[in-house]
Amino acid sequence: MIAILGVGRVGAALGPHLSNLGYQVVYGAREPGREDVVELVEKTSNGAQAVSVSEACQMADWVVVALPYSAMESALHEMGDLDGKIVVDVTNALVMGDNGLMKMALDNSSSAEQLQASKPDAKVVKAFNTVGFHVMANPAAAGGSVSVPLAGNDADAKIAVAEVIEKMGLEAIDVGPIEHARSLESMAVLYLVPYLQGRMDDAFEFYFRRGASPKKSKGVRAAG
Ligand SMILES: NC(=O)c1ccc[n+]([C@@H]2O[C@H](COP(=O)([O-])OP(=O)(O)OC[C@H]3O[C@@H](n4cnc5c(N)ncnc54)[C@H](OP(=O)(O)O)[C@@H]3O)[C@@H](O)[C@H]2O)c1
């Protein structure tokens, strides 16, 4: 069972998609009985339900965190013990800067690193944070391949998350340990620039093209 914490744009994109692939979803919500949450549960197949954040975390073996960074501190208390669980962190630790664009809220850290530090025995994987919610719901909306870079310290957890991502129709790519989540969350700063500047025609999704190994391209030397 997969708990999805947050019933906003990301939660409402991932939940129905995952349930359509056969996963059982439980939403962790502040107000599980609210009309829009009940509607989301109805839209989510496979016996979905909505409960509190702490109940959802207890029920599930995977937890997807799709919360605003500002909610993370209080949510960490509610999540309780996540020992041994795969925790997929979608959250971006961003704040609005003086120039009207987002910037990182943390120096030398990230939401995912804080989550891993707070739950040392959870298997935290940073994922989906560089992808638009509409593309999480329907990858075809991007009009081409979309990468989902993964950062985390548990290799098996990253493989398991990558399998789900591939089933969704997205391309997973392992970019290393949990510390690299700060680079991934910085990518979200870039992602949001066209939206915040009202240049919707320039909106993009990230795609990391494989096959660029210098071993494959004769005559090109790798940088030292
Ligand atoms: N939107 C995107 O395309 C996108 C893409 C990649 C990553 N992200 C990241 O994903 C995260 C969620 O984004 P979003 O766009 O889904 O945000 P959103 O639409 O604002 O939804 C946030 C959800 O979190 C819930 N929430 C807030 N505080 C909570 C708390 N203390 N306990 C439980 N639930 C709480 C809200 O509950 P209520 O409904 O009760 O207000 C709401 O359901 C953010 O960190 C964002 O940076 C977003």
Side-chain angles (χ1 to χ4, degrees):
M1 183 179 283
I2 302 180
I4 299 182
L5 311 184
V7 288
R9 287 166 294 185
V10 170
L14 289 177
H17 195 162
L18 291 170
S19 72
N20 286 338
L21 292 173
Y23 298 100
Q24 206 180 353
V25 168
V26 56
Y27 294 103
R30 287 195 281 206
E31 298 173 277
R34 206 172 63 199
E35 198 178 338
D36 61 310
V37 182
V38 171
E39 279 170 20
L40 175 61
V41 168
E42 282 167 2
K43 261 179 52 185
T44 311
S45 47
N46 233 6
Q49 51 190 310
V51 296
S52 70
V53 165
S54 62
E55 283 173 296
C57 289
Q58 280 170 29
M59 289 164 69
D61 28 36
W62 284 39
V63 176
V64 176
V65 184
L67 298 172
Y69 179 65
S70 55
M72 191 59 99
E73 198 176 330
S74 65
L76 283 173
H77 292 291
E78 287 179 67
M79 285 178 211
D81 170 13
L82 299 179
D83 291 3
K85 299 190 186 202
I86 291 181
V87 180
V88 177
D89 183 34
V90 189
T91 307
N92 286 311
L94 306 184
V95 285
M96 182 58 76
D98 293 338
N99 60 358
L101 300 176
M102 303 307 284
K103 62 177 187 176
M104 286 294 286
L106 302 168
D107 291 326
N108 304 319
S109 191
S110 60
S111 165
E113 286 166 88
Q114 290 189 333
L115 189 45
Q116 184 66 83
S118 165
K119 313 283 178 194
D121 293 320
K123 300 167 187 174
V124 177
V125 179
K126 186 89 219 168
F128 294 112
N129 73 296
T130 58
V131 180
F133 72 96
H134 57 297
V135 175
M136 296 179 206
N138 173 25
S145 302
V146 175
S147 299
V148 184
L150 308 179
N153 293 341
D154 189 296
D156 290 339
K158 283 190 283 190
I159 289 169
V161 173
E163 280 172 9
V164 174
I165 287 167
E166 300 282 337
K167 276 190 206 167
M168 291 174 71
L170 296 158
E171 288 192 21
I173 186 154
D174 182 348
V175 298
I178 198 70
E179 289 79 15
H180 290 185
R182 65 187 76 165
S183 300
L184 299 185
E185 294 181 28
S186 293
M187 284 168 64
V189 171
L190 307 184
Y191 182 94
L192 290 167
V193 170
Y195 291 93
L196 292 167
Q197 292 186 336
R199 294 186 287 112
M200 299 307 292
D201 287 348
D202 288 336
F204 58 85
E205 295 295 325
F206 290 104
Y207 183 53
F208 293 1
R209 183 161 49 80
R210 282 195 168 86
S213 160
K215 281 186 187 164
K216 289 189 179 172
S217 45
K218 286 183 187 140
V220 179
R221 292 173 70 118

